[in-house]
Amino acid sequence: MTGHTLTRRSIIATGLGTALAGCTNPRLFDSPPPAPANNFGALKPLDLRPENLIKITVCTRPLRPAGPRLEAEVIGDKTIVHNYGHGGSGWSLAWGYAEAARDLAAASRPTSVTVVGAGAIGLTTAIALAETGAKVTILARDLPMETRSTRATGVWSPSSRIGYRSATGDDFPARWEALARRSYARHLSYIGRAGHPVEFTPQFYVRHEPREAPLASDHSGGNEFLHLGRNLRGLTPPWSERGTHPFPTDAGVRGGLGMVFNIAEYTRQLTEDFHAMGGRIERADIGSVAELARLPGDVVVNCTGYGAKTLVSDTSMLGVRGQIAWMAAQTDRLYGIYHRNVTALSRRDGLLIQETGGNDYFGLGDDSETPDRQEFLAAHAKVAPMFDWG
Ligand SMILES: Cc1cc2nc3c(=O)[nH]c(=O)nc-3n(C[C@H](O)[C@H](O)[C@H](O)COP(=O)(O)OP(=O)(O)OC[C@H]3O[C@@H](n4cnc5c(N)ncnc54)[C@H](O)[C@@H]3O)c2cc1C
């Protein structure tokens, strides 16, 4: 590894997901983190040659300014529990909201439940309900590996685009924190499983001078996003300045371990766990609230993500476009960097390059899912020079 002199900056960036969200990350320990004992061994540079590009995917984050919808509604004689609208935090928060949705459904003492939706929220909610002994069926237009959830970055980012400060209630932060903590604990239970659905890998915030300007203007429409990462301080491994690192920058590098979701394997594992509990998954397109209320089951749980905008006419829902360029997996170098507003993340199931725009307003109000090759090339040009070593 080449040594680079670091300049300590006031910028605190800890965790790729947090960097994406533009807020600080919680620390694992109450005491200040010790000086880094290692730099995660000898890192190999990521091979970002453009010819390694396999595909470009785009997905729409389901943003509700008031925060995710988690509530029970009775239509006719049917209880419908809504669990959708988790913005850029759906994977991170999935288990917390799944267990809370299960608790809402429990008031009806259901023996059979229909869950609509097979993304991160639908799968985890279905498992949480099946654990109560209820017979659970998932109905979904897109089966698990086809959902928008499979197109996510796959990092712990529990407060990313979770709502607007002005539209969430005063009780939201405490409620969110409790659900985020529950979710984190449950993700931890997947660490060490065959295939590594969840794992911790090194992540680095590689600074650049001058600091990259955001691509989208702040406070569009006067709305400010909530950033609650600080509330989870002490939960995740600490980050610290890296005295030595291989990245060709003199502006400084911060790094630590970050929770990563290997989404292909996590989705497969969740699907298998659900089937092992007797759950069934069927393809179905639900066209209206009336149809939702006629579905079989004592309780119906609506986990349709951005689809809820149309299905239950949730006009508050906003789409936030996000694009990822995928290269073949490089499993002998599993780590990520965030540099000049671009994430390059090497996961077991692929190497991702993503322009984040530098703040939460990037992609806001845009639900087009057409890949943009120019966006990839521009992001690549910013981040590729950081791997020009080795
Ligand atoms: C680029 C990008 C990166 C992201 N990165 C992260 C990250 O690193 N960490 C993180 O925590 N979150 C991340 N997110 C956010 C996360 O992906 C979403 O919050 C999450 O996928 C939402 O899951 P969901 O199950 O609600 O929705 P979806 O995955 O969209 O699933 C919805 C399900 O409902 C079904 N459905 C919808 N309408 C109907 C209908 N009418 N009838 C029948 N079925 C229907 C769909 O077919 C599908 O099965 C990212 C999002 C994007 C776009």
Side-chain angles (χ1 to χ4, degrees):
M1 256 192 218
T2 324
H4 285 268
T5 311
L6 290 181
T7 315
R8 183 177 275 272
R9 301 280 162 185
S10 57
I11 304 165
I12 303 167
T14 51
L16 286 188
T18 304
L20 294 174
C23 59
T24 55
N25 214 34
R27 298 208 188 102
L28 180 62
F29 305 110
D30 290 336
S31 55
N38 64 64
N39 280 288
F40 308 113
L43 297 175
K44 295 179 184 172
L46 300 182
D47 180 355
L48 297 196
R49 280 174 297 166
E51 58 265 36
N52 291 343
L53 182 68
I54 291 171
K55 63 179 178 181
I56 298 177
T57 60
V58 185
C59 110
T60 307
R61 300 175 184 87
L63 165 68
R64 290 186 85 241
R69 186 173 180 196
L70 179 66
E71 64 177 331
E73 180 184 20
V74 178
I75 300 179
D77 58 358
K78 182 77 75 186
T79 298
I80 298 183
V81 173
H82 298 283
N83 185 17
Y84 67 82
H86 300 79
S89 308
W91 274 103
S92 306
L93 296 173
W95 283 115
Y97 277 84
E99 292 178 5
R102 173 202 63 198
D103 295 346
L104 279 177
S108 305
R109 298 180 174 277
T111 57
S112 64
V113 180
T114 297
V115 172
V116 183
I121 303 297
L123 283 174
T124 51
T125 301
I127 290 172
L129 284 158
E131 285 168 347
T132 67
K135 183 171 172 290
V136 183
T137 302
I138 293 178
L139 300 179
R141 186 192 295 150
D142 306 295
L143 299 180
M145 283 309 295
E146 304 162 352
T147 61
R148 291 193 171 101
S149 291
T150 61
R151 297 175 231 151
T153 317
V155 292
W156 172 250
S157 59
S159 127
S160 170
R161 297 176 171 102
I162 197 63
Y164 289 159
R165 189 173 297 283
S166 57
T168 46
D170 290 345
D171 59 344
F172 183 81
R175 191 178 186 209
W176 168 88
E177 182 181 338
L179 296 181
R181 287 181 182 276
R182 276 163 79 170
S183 206
Y184 187 75
R186 188 107 185 214
H187 286 307
L188 288 180
S189 72
Y190 283 82
I191 285 180
R193 289 215 200 176
H196 305 281
V198 182
E199 66 184 327
F200 284 92
T201 63
Q203 298 175 8
F204 302 94
Y205 176 59
V206 181
R207 297 190 185 92
H208 179 256
E209 291 295 345
R211 200 175 176 188
E212 193 75 20
L215 290 178
S217 60
D218 260 17
H219 301 183
S220 84
N223 293 307
E224 192 188 338
F225 278 94
L226 265 184
H227 290 139
L228 298 171
R230 282 176 199 277
N231 300 17
L232 296 179
R233 202 176 283 272
L235 189 67
T236 56
W239 278 42
S240 56
E241 295 295 326
R242 295 284 136 180
T244 57
H245 59 79
F247 305 108
T249 177
D250 289 325
V253 173
R254 242 182 117 74
L257 291 171
M259 180 182 268
V260 170
F261 309 123
N262 291 307
I263 289 177
E265 177 58 21
Y266 208 1
T267 302
R268 190 203 62 74
Q269 181 75 65
L270 293 173
T271 306
E272 182 182 304
D273 289 353
F274 178 59
H275 282 139
M277 286 185 283
R280 284 188 308 128
I281 305 180
E282 292 173 17
R283 199 184 288 278
D285 195 341
I286 313 303
S288 66
V289 175
E291 206 180 317
L292 201 60
R294 282 199 304 270
L295 291 176
D298 303 323
V299 172
V300 170
V301 189
N302 172 21
C303 303
T304 52
Y306 193 62
K309 179 172 185 163
T310 313
L311 179 60
V312 298
S313 306
D314 188 336
T315 53
S316 74
M317 185 97 90
L318 296 166
V320 189
R321 184 183 185 279
Q323 170 173 303
I324 290 174
W326 298 79
M327 295 185 169
Q330 298 173 20
T331 52
D332 61 339
R333 51 200 82 183
L334 296 174
Y335 66 95
I337 77 164
Y338 182 78
H339 176 70
R340 298 185 65 189
N341 299 341
V342 176
T343 292
L345 175 65
S346 175
R347 279 179 9 202
R348 259 168 223 280
D349 49 3
L351 195 163
L352 294 67
I353 299 174
Q354 180 184 7
E355 172 62 65
T356 74
N359 65 27
D360 288 344
Y361 301 94
F362 185 62
L364 179 61
D366 183 355
D367 62 5
S368 68
E369 295 191 343
T370 306
D372 178 349
R373 191 174 163 81
Q374 286 309 317
E375 181 180 311
F376 157 66
L377 291 173
H380 182 273
K382 286 198 274 182
V383 80
M386 287 300 104
F387 301 103
D388 197 9
W389 44 273

